[in-house]
Structures are given as C-alpha cells and as structure tokens.
C-alpha cells in the first residue's frame, strides 16, 4: 500500500497543472523604504518555510477557551508541548504529500519542528522559482539590512494546495517597530522636585501603578521574555547602567539570563533597550530572556522564525511581550489565520502573549477620491493575544490620572470576528457613545476590537549606548510594563501552587474593569479628511478602543488574579 501511495503521488507531480495561490490576497508591493538591489543569482541558496495544514484546529480553540475561562472546570489545566503536538500534528497523508512534492524537485535539506507542522527547507533560487510558479526572487536593502523576497505572487501544485497554509520567505518584509522616538539625550536626569517629574522612569511607574519596593520576583520557576525581530540589539552595559540610575529603590537583576538567537555587536537599538529595561524594572528580579532573530538567511521572515522557534521549545517563559505589527490589509488571510493558530498553541500551554497596539491611532487607508477607512494592525487585532494601548499623564510633569495617548493603536479588525469574551463590553461602548462615533463606513463593528488594556506610553527615559535618553514614546513602552506586572502576578500564583495566567483576555473581560484605572479622556488619531478630521475613536467609561479596560492598579489586580 505504501508503494502504491508513493507511486500515485509521484504521478501527481509529473502533471503540469498548477493550482491557484495559497495567499491570494497577500500584498506583494515592495514597501517604499526598501531599495531594489537586483535579481537573485539562480544558484543562490534560499531558506523557505512551509506551513503544513494542521488537524483539529477547532478542538484547539475550544481547549483554549476552557483553560482560559475562570468559570470552567478546566481553567489553568494547560497542555504540554507534546500534548499540543499530538492534537495538531498534520496527518500522515499531508506530511507524505508535501515531502514527496519537495523531493520531486530535489529538495531534501529540510528541518521540521516538534509539532511537525512546519518544514524549513534550503534550495537554490532557481529551484524555488520552479517549485513555486510565479515567484521571482530579488534582493532589497534598507538601512544596511538586506532581505530576499519575491516581487510577484507564488502558486503551488494542485496536489499540495490542500496540504499547505502558506509558504514563508517570499513576501512579508520585517515588521515595523511600534515606537515613536522623539528627541534628545542628556547625560544626567535632573532631580525632580517633590511631586514633579521630567519623564517616566521605573520609580514613576511604581508610584502610578502602586507597586512597592517588595513587589519583585521570588519564584524560582518564573520567567519572562521580550522578542526582537529587526536588526536590534540590547547592550548589557546599558542595562547595568539603567538599573544603577533607576533601579536603586527595589531589588532587581542587571543581566538577561538567556539570549535565544544571535546578538549583534553593533550599536544598541532604542527599541531593544526600551523593552529589556522596562520589563526587567517592572517585572523586577524575574529571570528574563531575549529572543532576537534577525533571520539567519535573507529569505527568512523574522517574526515567523520566532513562532517556529516556540514550537521547538518545551520550556518557555510564561510572559512574552512583542512591540511590532503590520497593517492587516498588507497580509494574506491564510497567513494571519495560521499565525492565530500559533497564538492559540501558546495560550493552551499557559503562555501570555502581549502585543503593542501600534502608534498610528485608528490608522488610515486611502482608496482615492476622498474615500478612506481606518486601518487595523496585526497581530494587535488577533483575538488570541492581549493587546496593550497607550496613555499619558493628564499633567505631563506630575503623577496624575491618565488620559489617552493620541498615538495609541486601536479599532476593529476587518478579518477576525469579535470573540465571545468581549461582545458585551464592546457593544456597550458602541451603544454608549453612538452619537459621537465615526461614520460606520470607516470600521467593522462586528470585528475583534482592541486594545484590551493600556499603560503609560509617553516620555520614557531609556539608556542607549550608555547615554540616558528622554522622550521615548510609543506602545512599545507600555507593553513591557504591563508584561512585567503580569509576570509579578504569575510569580505570586506560582508561589501559591497555582498555574500561570496563560491567555488573559477571557478573565480580563470578566473583571469588567475591576482592578484597573479607567481612562475616560482623550481621542486617538484617525484619517485626516473632512468626515473625521484626523480623529479616530475616543476614550469612554469602561472598555473603549483606545485604552481597552484601562491601566493596571497593581495591588488590586494582583488580588483578583490570585483568587482561584
């Protein structure tokens, strides 16, 4: 029987009939800030990632709902990587068909992952273009970084179309960083007068969110992580200096415990420094990892590489914060749906994934002739991650109540339907502020709404290349701050013998704003046109698509999330 199957598959691949496109709605336009270098030499080696169709994705989603719902008897009963693998592993037929297809083109240098649903294969550009008709590989550059991508959409053979979700390494460029850097540097931060500050530091965050000097990690089995996808590096010397300057009032660590990937030797990046310094000063004294993946090959997609990596690691930090995103409309639906499955895999394992909501407010997509819509961002719009928006102090120089940061990303997905856990909260918002909402032609009222919560995102101090630098802003600041606080809550849960929080949203929405500071003032950016005049959505009591449920009141949030 096995011989017969192999023979029939071989005959299938001898056919010249090619199917449609796996990613028919993937944007293949080259971003304006990337410069074309030239066509890739046919003999040059590429590395492509094949996402094999998984089994039982609906059962995975139901499992995630049960282990994340505090009212479920299954709450907190997370799965191991082996259990996830057994649930989702592609069928034997899928694995055989895809491998036979690759082998029929002479492609044998492939690596798989523990879950067997990704294959990473090396081949020449010439072979890749034969394997994937329509593809044309070119080299592009930006700021000294080089990538190889296809300038045209690819197709696959009829026989494998139903066995693949997508092929990675052809289209998506490194994602944009969610961070606004505004300005200057100063060797010393001047001492603040009583009640007055000159920017956000760990002490200011601890004052605002009610963390004490004893709110630090103690559990030996707790850890947290940030993930970097650009050519961004952190400097251990910067981290040490940051903690010397700003961490004296609480126990902390001054070193990253584990770097997964390759740390470059160049100058430190603001983004990498910001993420590490603030997750480690908020989630203080907790073991911290850095995932850094610029892509070993120019054809790799760094974000996808990180997702593949999670499928191969049995022991992972409980909280991951990520400060990157792409416009939803620039990505194929097939790609986003599969990435959502990867997020679900993390959630059922008890891992909390936090994404920055973006720094473009509601965003704006122009269709010409004055026709505009808001522009949601992914992964911020995924129903399976916790998305973090941004706020600023009402008085920028005092620890006051918070208002919306005008850059805080938020809105409604055009791809994913509104998940059950947030329907009542979002519908209440839409009803309460109906009279002042933007025209409905700008957004999808039935889509996944985000963000879920927020934190300060304006005017941070960061040490970069040994220089204390002020005026660093963006939701890439607020996200590691929230991540650090969730790590502290995990710490207390683990000390009590409770499971990690895992996918937070179902529990967060059941709190209905309890233990969070409600943000009710301010609006974020929208389209600059006659109809909305540069304004997107506005904050309101309870949940809203600018700041979610609001910002953490740490001791209150700890109390409600420690309850079994």
């Amino acid at each position: 029987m096995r011989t017969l199957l192999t023979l029939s598959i071989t005959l299938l691949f001898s056919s010249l009939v090619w199917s449609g496109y796996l990613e028919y709605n993937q944007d293949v336009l080259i971003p304006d800030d990337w410069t074309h270098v030239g066509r890739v030499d046919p003999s040059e080696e590429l590395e492509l990632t094949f996402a094999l169709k998984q089994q039982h994705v609906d059962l995975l989603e139901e499992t995630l709902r049960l282990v994340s719902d505090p009212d479920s008897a299954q709450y907190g009963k997370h799965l191991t990587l082996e259990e996830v693998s057994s649930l989702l592993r592609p069928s034997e037929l899928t694995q055989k068909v895809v491998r036979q297809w690759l082998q029929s083109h002479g492609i044998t240098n492939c690596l798989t992952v523990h879950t067997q649903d990704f294959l990473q294969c090396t081949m020449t550009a010439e072979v890749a273009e034969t394997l994937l008709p329509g593809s044309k590989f070119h080299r592009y550059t930006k700021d000294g970084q080089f990538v190889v991508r296809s300038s045209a959409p690819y197709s696959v053979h009829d026989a494998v179309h139903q066995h693949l979700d997508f092929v990675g390494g052809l289209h998506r460029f490194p994602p944009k960083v969610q961070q606004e850097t505004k300005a200057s540097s100063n060797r010393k931060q001047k001492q603040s007068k009583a009640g007055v500050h000159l920017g956000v530091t760990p002490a200011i965050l601890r004052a605002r969110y009610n963390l004490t000097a004893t709110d630090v990690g103690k559990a030996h089995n707790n850890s947290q992580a940030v993930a970097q996808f650009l050519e961004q590096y952190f400097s251990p010397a910067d981290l040490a200096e940051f903690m010397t300057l700003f961490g004296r009032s609480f126990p902390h660590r001054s070193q990253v415990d584990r770097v997964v990937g390759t740390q470059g030797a160049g100058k430190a990046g603001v983004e990498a420094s910001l993420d590490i310094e603030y997750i480690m000063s908020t989630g203080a004294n907790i073991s911290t990892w850095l995932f850094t993946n610029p892509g070993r090959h120019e054809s790799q997609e760094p974000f996808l590489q990180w997702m593949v990596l999670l499928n191969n690691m049995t022991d992972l930090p409980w909280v991951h914060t990520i400060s990157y995103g792409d416009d939803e409309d620039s990505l194929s639906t097939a790609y986003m749906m599969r990435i959502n499955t990867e997020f679900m895999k993390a959630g059922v394992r008890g891992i909390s994934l936090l994404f920055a909501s973006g720094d473009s407010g509601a965003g704006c997509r122009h269709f010409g002739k004055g026709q505009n819509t808001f522009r949601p961002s992914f992964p911020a719009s995924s129903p399976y991650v916790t998305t973090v928006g941004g706020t600023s102090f009402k008085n920028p120089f005092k620890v006051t109540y918070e208002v919306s940061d005008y850059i805080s990303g938020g809105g409604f997905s055009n791809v994913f339907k509104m998940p059950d856990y947030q329907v009542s909260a979002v519908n209440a918002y839409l009803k309460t502020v109906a009279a002042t909402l933007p025209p409905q032609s700008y957004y999808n009222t039935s889509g996944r709404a985000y963000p879920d919560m927020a934190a300060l995102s304006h005017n941070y101090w960061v040490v970069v290349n040994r220089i204390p630098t002020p005026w660093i802003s963006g939701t890439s600041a607020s996200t590691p701050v929230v991540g650090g606080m969730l790590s502290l809550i995990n710490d207390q849960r683990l000390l009590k013998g409770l499971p990690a929080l895992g996918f937070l949203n179902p529990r967060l929405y059941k709190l209905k704003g309890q233990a969070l500071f409600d943000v009710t003032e301010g609006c974020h950016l929208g389209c600059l046109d006659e109809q909305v005049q540069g304004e997107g959505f506005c904050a309101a009591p309870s949940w809203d698509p600018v700041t979610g449920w609001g910002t953490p009141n740490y001791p209150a949030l700890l109390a409600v999330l420690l309850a079994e």
Side-chain angles (χ1 to χ4, degrees), residues 94-156:
T94 287
Q95 294 185 58
K96 284 178 180 175
V97 168
V98 173
R99 284 186 180 274
Q100 188 72 34
W101 171 60
L102 294 168
Q103 288 166 10
S104 72
H105 287 268
I107 300 167
T108 56
N109 185 8
C110 295
L111 297 173
T112 189
V113 291
H114 193 82
T115 46
Q116 295 180 12
D117 47 7
F118 285 107
L119 277 176
Q120 295 192 298
C121 302
T122 303
M123 70 206 74
T124 65
E126 182 177 29
V127 168
E129 290 182 4
T130 306
L131 182 78
L132 305 167
S135 61
K136 292 180 174 63
F137 288 93
H138 296 255
R139 181 168 279 101
Y140 302 90
T141 185
K142 171 189 169 185
D143 300 332
Q145 183 182 3
F146 291 88
V147 299
V148 169
R149 294 291 186 269
S150 173
S151 60
Y154 68 94
S155 62
V156 297

Side-chain angles (χ1 to χ4, degrees), residues 164-345:
L164 290 171
D165 285 324
F166 68 89
V167 182
L170 285 98
H171 294 314
R172 287 161 288 275
F173 280 70
K176 293 174 285 195
V177 59
Q178 310 282 26
Q179 167 220 319
E180 297 231 326
T181 307
K182 301 175 184 170
S184 58
S185 64
N186 188 336
R187 268 283 167 194
K188 293 181 181 175
Q189 187 195 4
K190 296 171 186 172
Q191 289 299 307
S192 301
K193 297 176 184 175
V196 176
H197 69 84
L198 297 175
V200 175
T201 64
I204 297 297
L205 291 168
R206 285 179 170 264
R208 170 57 187 156
Y209 298 131
N210 295 320
L211 287 101
T212 69
T214 59
D215 288 316
V216 296
K218 301 175 182 71
H220 66 87
N221 56 340
N222 192 20
S223 55
Q224 58 191 2
V226 298
Q228 303 288 347
F229 308 119
L230 302 181
E231 298 284 352
Q232 283 258 339
Y233 312 111
F234 92 99
S235 159
D238 286 350
L239 175 61
E241 181 166 339
F242 178 86
M243 289 302 187
T244 300
L245 286 171
F246 301 118
R248 292 175 182 171
S249 62
F250 52 89
H252 60 265
R253 300 186 182 205
S254 296
Q255 290 183 318
V256 169
D257 282 328
R258 184 170 176 187
V259 175
V260 182
T262 307
Q263 262 279 97
K267 283 189 174 182
V270 173
E271 173 62 40
S273 303
L274 174 69
D275 287 357
I276 283 291
E277 288 167 10
Y278 278 92
I279 197 170
M280 289 187 68
S281 55
T282 309
N285 210 41
I286 292 173
S287 175
T288 303
W289 296 21
L290 172 70
F291 285 84
T292 175
N293 193 346
R296 289 177 292 122
H297 291 75
E298 290 175 353
S299 57
Q300 285 183 339
E301 297 177 39
F303 178 74
L304 180 59
Q305 287 301 112
W306 171 70
M307 295 260 57
V308 170
L309 198 57
L310 299 190
N311 282 281
N312 246 4
M313 302 181 74
T314 51
D315 295 310
L316 285 167
W318 295 114
V319 172
H320 295 244
T321 74
I322 305 100
S323 302
Y324 300 93
D326 273 308
D327 296 325
E328 242 186 20
D329 56 78
S330 74
L331 302 168
S332 73
T333 304
Y335 171 82
M336 290 187 285
M337 296 296 280
R338 174 56 184 264
I339 294 298
N340 272 347
T341 304
E342 300 309 305
F343 293 154
M344 285 191 270
K345 283 157 80 172

Side-chain angles (χ1 to χ4, degrees), residues 425 428-429 432 512-513 517-520 538-545 547-550:
Y429 168 81
T432 302
K512 297 181 178 178
F517 295 116
D518 197 3
V519 180
T520 59
C538 296
S542 294
W543 182 91
D544 60 69
T547 61
W549 284 107

Side-chain angles (χ1 to χ4, degrees), residues 39-90:
R39 205 70 160 93
V40 171
D41 189 278
S43 63
E44 185 167 333
E45 282 207 334
L46 307 179
E47 184 173 292
L48 301 181
T49 301
F50 298 85
L52 280 66
K53 278 266 192 247
Q54 300 149 316
Q55 301 187 92
H56 313 308
V57 174
D58 53 344
L59 187 54
L60 175 72
E61 184 168 24
E62 176 63 10
T63 304
L64 177 65
R65 186 186 69 78
L66 292 172
V67 300
S68 308
D69 179 355
D71 296 331
S72 161
Q74 296 297 111
Y75 180 72
K77 294 180 179 176
H78 300 124
L79 306 188
T80 64
L81 178 59
E82 186 55 53
E83 288 169 330
V84 172
S85 181
S86 297
L87 178 65
L88 287 182
R89 187 179 291 125

